[in-house]
Short mmCIF file of all heavy atoms in Angstrom, two decimals:
data_model
loop_
_atom_site.label_atom_id
_atom_site.label_comp_id
_atom_site.label_asym_id
_atom_site.label_seq_id
_atom_site.Cartn_x
_atom_site.Cartn_y
_atom_site.Cartn_z
N MET A 10 61.95 207.98 50.02
CA MET A 10 61.04 206.88 49.68
C MET A 10 61.53 206.18 48.41
O MET A 10 61.84 206.83 47.41
CB MET A 10 59.64 207.43 49.46
CG MET A 10 58.56 206.38 49.45
SD MET A 10 56.94 207.10 49.82
CE MET A 10 56.05 206.59 48.39
N GLN A 11 61.63 204.85 48.48
CA GLN A 11 62.18 204.08 47.37
C GLN A 11 61.15 203.84 46.26
O GLN A 11 61.51 203.65 45.11
CB GLN A 11 62.68 202.72 47.86
CG GLN A 11 63.76 202.76 48.92
CD GLN A 11 64.18 201.36 49.30
OE1 GLN A 11 65.01 200.73 48.63
NE2 GLN A 11 63.61 200.85 50.38
N ASN A 12 59.87 203.82 46.64
CA ASN A 12 58.82 203.41 45.70
C ASN A 12 58.34 204.61 44.89
O ASN A 12 57.72 205.54 45.41
CB ASN A 12 57.66 202.78 46.46
CG ASN A 12 56.73 201.99 45.56
OD1 ASN A 12 56.48 202.38 44.42
ND2 ASN A 12 56.23 200.88 46.07
N GLN A 13 58.62 204.59 43.58
CA GLN A 13 58.19 205.65 42.67
C GLN A 13 56.98 205.23 41.84
O GLN A 13 56.55 205.97 40.96
CB GLN A 13 59.34 206.01 41.72
CG GLN A 13 60.60 206.47 42.42
CD GLN A 13 61.75 206.66 41.43
OE1 GLN A 13 61.72 206.16 40.31
NE2 GLN A 13 62.77 207.39 41.85
N GLY A 14 56.42 204.06 42.11
CA GLY A 14 55.39 203.49 41.24
C GLY A 14 53.98 203.98 41.52
O GLY A 14 53.72 204.72 42.49
N THR A 17 51.77 203.76 44.97
CA THR A 17 51.81 204.74 46.06
C THR A 17 50.80 205.88 45.87
O THR A 17 50.64 206.71 46.77
CB THR A 17 53.21 205.37 46.18
OG1 THR A 17 53.48 206.15 44.99
CG2 THR A 17 54.27 204.31 46.34
N ARG A 21 49.62 208.66 48.71
CA ARG A 21 50.05 210.05 48.59
C ARG A 21 48.83 210.98 48.55
O ARG A 21 48.83 212.06 49.14
CB ARG A 21 50.88 210.22 47.31
CG ARG A 21 52.21 209.48 47.30
CD ARG A 21 52.90 209.65 45.95
NE ARG A 21 54.08 208.80 45.81
CZ ARG A 21 55.32 209.15 46.12
NH1 ARG A 21 55.53 210.35 46.66
NH2 ARG A 21 56.33 208.33 45.93
N LYS A 62 58.30 191.05 44.32
CA LYS A 62 58.51 191.91 43.17
C LYS A 62 58.70 191.08 41.90
O LYS A 62 59.47 190.11 41.89
CB LYS A 62 59.74 192.81 43.39
CG LYS A 62 59.98 193.79 42.26
CD LYS A 62 61.13 194.75 42.57
CE LYS A 62 61.32 195.74 41.42
NZ LYS A 62 62.38 196.73 41.69
N LEU A 85 52.15 198.09 44.44
CA LEU A 85 52.87 198.60 45.61
C LEU A 85 54.02 197.66 45.98
O LEU A 85 55.07 198.10 46.44
CB LEU A 85 51.92 198.77 46.78
CG LEU A 85 52.45 199.49 48.03
CD1 LEU A 85 52.79 200.95 47.71
CD2 LEU A 85 51.43 199.41 49.16
N PHE A 161 53.11 200.26 55.55
CA PHE A 161 53.57 200.60 54.21
C PHE A 161 54.82 199.80 53.86
O PHE A 161 55.80 199.81 54.60
CB PHE A 161 53.84 202.10 54.11
CG PHE A 161 54.42 202.51 52.79
CD1 PHE A 161 53.75 202.25 51.60
CD2 PHE A 161 55.65 203.17 52.74
CE1 PHE A 161 54.29 202.64 50.38
CE2 PHE A 161 56.19 203.57 51.53
CZ PHE A 161 55.51 203.30 50.35
N HIS A 162 54.78 199.11 52.74
CA HIS A 162 55.95 198.38 52.25
C HIS A 162 56.71 199.30 51.28
O HIS A 162 56.32 199.45 50.12
CB HIS A 162 55.53 197.10 51.52
CG HIS A 162 55.00 196.03 52.41
ND1 HIS A 162 55.76 194.95 52.80
CD2 HIS A 162 53.80 195.88 53.01
CE1 HIS A 162 55.04 194.17 53.59
NE2 HIS A 162 53.85 194.71 53.73
N ASP A 163 57.75 199.94 51.75
CA ASP A 163 58.51 200.84 50.88
C ASP A 163 59.59 200.04 50.15
O ASP A 163 60.75 200.01 50.55
CB ASP A 163 59.13 201.98 51.69
CG ASP A 163 59.78 203.03 50.79
OD1 ASP A 163 59.46 203.04 49.59
OD2 ASP A 163 60.59 203.83 51.30
N LEU A 164 59.16 199.40 49.07
CA LEU A 164 60.06 198.58 48.28
C LEU A 164 60.58 199.39 47.09
O LEU A 164 59.91 200.31 46.62
CB LEU A 164 59.32 197.34 47.77
CG LEU A 164 58.74 196.45 48.87
CD1 LEU A 164 57.89 195.34 48.27
CD2 LEU A 164 59.85 195.86 49.72
N PRO A 165 61.76 199.06 46.61
CA PRO A 165 62.31 199.80 45.46
C PRO A 165 61.54 199.47 44.18
O PRO A 165 61.70 198.40 43.61
CB PRO A 165 63.77 199.33 45.38
CG PRO A 165 63.77 197.99 46.06
CD PRO A 165 62.71 198.05 47.11
N VAL A 166 60.71 200.40 43.75
CA VAL A 166 59.95 200.25 42.51
C VAL A 166 60.21 201.50 41.68
O VAL A 166 59.98 202.62 42.13
CB VAL A 166 58.43 200.12 42.78
CG1 VAL A 166 57.67 200.01 41.46
CG2 VAL A 166 58.15 198.91 43.66
N SER A 167 60.72 201.31 40.47
CA SER A 167 61.05 202.45 39.61
C SER A 167 60.02 202.59 38.50
O SER A 167 59.21 201.68 38.25
CB SER A 167 62.44 202.26 39.00
OG SER A 167 62.40 201.33 37.92
N LEU A 168 60.06 203.71 37.80
CA LEU A 168 59.15 203.94 36.69
C LEU A 168 59.39 202.97 35.54
O LEU A 168 58.51 202.75 34.70
CB LEU A 168 59.27 205.38 36.19
CG LEU A 168 58.82 206.47 37.15
CD1 LEU A 168 58.98 207.85 36.51
CD2 LEU A 168 57.37 206.27 37.58
N ASP A 170 59.95 199.76 35.96
CA ASP A 170 59.49 198.42 36.32
C ASP A 170 58.12 198.13 35.73
O ASP A 170 57.27 199.03 35.64
CB ASP A 170 59.43 198.27 37.84
CG ASP A 170 60.80 198.16 38.48
OD1 ASP A 170 61.72 197.65 37.81
OD2 ASP A 170 60.96 198.59 39.64
#
Side-chain angles (χ1 to χ4, degrees):
M10 195 158 124
Q11 300 181 83
N12 196 323
Q13 302 173 343
T17 66
R21 294 176 189 269
K62 183 175 182 178
L85 189 65
F161 175 58
H162 289 258
D163 187 18
L164 301 173
V166 178
S167 77
L168 294 181
D170 287 330

